[in-house]
Amino acid sequence: MRVIALDGPAGSGKSTVAGMIAEQLDILHADSGAIYRTLTLAFMRRLGPGSSAQEFGSIFQSGSVDPDSLPVQVLLKDRRQSNCLDGADVGLEIRTPEVTSRIRYIADNVPCRNTVNRLLREFSEQTDLVADGRDMGTVVFPDSASKFFLEASVQIRAKRRYEEMLGHGRANLSLEEIERDIARRDEEDRNREVGALRKADDAILIDTSDLSREDVVSRILAQIQYRF
Ligand code: DC
């Protein structure tokens, strides 16, 4: 099946853009970050959250739980991805700061990465999809003919996140805190030993700094006409 690989750093808007493209083309939006989040929540429930992210990291790293033994199911429902734990959709729980601050231990772990990559490739055997993440174009779908990499400065990404939070009426972090958080995640994502955030050589770079989400979607769709 055909795969559009869409990578970029935290806050680059790739998830929203991937959702819009999926809707326009009537294909699946495969959200790889959501699978990392679901695995993280599953480990937190299995091992306990620890008193801090660091403590969780030590507990996680000292054990050897097989990610495939966790009650995680990533299902396709009406061309939508549903992230489930013990049979219940955990789409909201996986977005909490507690999960976000613990993901890096799971994202750094090779067996966990292999599990996520396998699930994504299984999806691609069933349906056309647009997959968003950090390593879709480099590791998971290196043969995709449609690869895109979204960029924007830390400041712009933080501002967008902040405005998004204000829009939802829950700006519980200051702009500076969001900026620090995004910079820390960039550092972790770019320096990961396996599956690091990197533009594939054959990916089209889109600097989204001065573009609306609609503009980004139009650019991608225009390119895909010739490739997808
Ligand atoms: O896209 P997101 O912010 O929901 O992703 C959450 C984290 O998952 C991200 O900080 C790093 C990890 N991740 C990854 O390592 N590789 C991917 N392909 C997608 C996400």
Side-chain angles (χ1 to χ4, degrees), residues 11-163:
S12 58
K14 59 189 185 315
S15 194
T16 311
V17 165
M20 290 163 73
I21 291 173
E23 195 160 320
Q24 293 217 23
L25 298 180
D26 195 21
I27 60 176
L28 172 71
H29 169 204
D31 180 348
S32 63
I35 310 181
Y36 282 101
R37 289 173 180 278
T38 306
L39 274 183
T40 304
L41 184 62
F43 274 109
M44 286 166 67
R45 289 192 185 166
R46 172 72 62 93
L47 305 172
S51 59
S52 63
Q54 284 75 7
E55 203 201 35
F56 169 80
S58 317
I59 299 168
F60 173 76
Q61 283 160 349
S62 64
S64 56
V65 178
D66 174 4
D68 293 327
S69 74
L70 296 168
V72 168
Q73 295 116 3
V74 187
L75 308 172
L76 280 192
K77 279 192 194 156
D78 303 329
R79 297 217 179 207
R80 285 189 173 267
Q81 174 180 325
S82 168
N83 309 290
C84 297
L85 251 185
D86 286 314
D89 189 288
V90 287
L92 289 179
E93 288 100 309
I94 59 175
R95 306 278 162 199
T96 61
E98 288 71 31
V99 170
T100 305
S101 63
R102 288 162 176 76
I103 291 178
R104 67 184 163 109
Y105 301 104
I106 279 71
D108 281 345
N109 179 271
V110 172
C112 289
R113 296 203 76 84
N114 290 339
T115 295
V116 175
N117 297 351
R118 194 196 66 238
L119 287 167
L120 291 165
R121 291 184 188 123
E122 281 171 9
F123 280 167
S124 75
E125 285 161 16
Q126 299 168 50
T127 177
D128 291 342
L129 56 85
V130 47
D132 87 277
R134 308 291 189 286
D135 57 345
M136 299 300 100
T138 49
V139 175
V140 187
F141 299 114
D143 297 333
S144 161
S146 307
K147 299 181 187 176
F148 299 89
F149 192 89
L150 304 190
E151 262 294 12
S153 70
V154 173
Q155 289 74 19
I156 286 186
R157 286 183 277 138
K159 191 160 164 275
R160 282 185 192 149
R161 260 278 140 94
Y162 185 63
E163 285 168 358

Side-chain angles (χ1 to χ4, degrees), residues 8-11 134 151-154 157 179-192 197:
R134 308 291 189 286
E151 262 294 12
S153 70
V154 173
R157 286 183 277 138
E179 208 172 299
R180 264 203 306 278
D181 184 54
I182 287 187
R184 176 183 57 76
R185 284 178 64 196
D186 276 5
E187 172 77 13
E188 289 167 10
D189 287 349
R190 290 186 206 278
N191 296 311
R192 177 160 294 124
L197 171 67

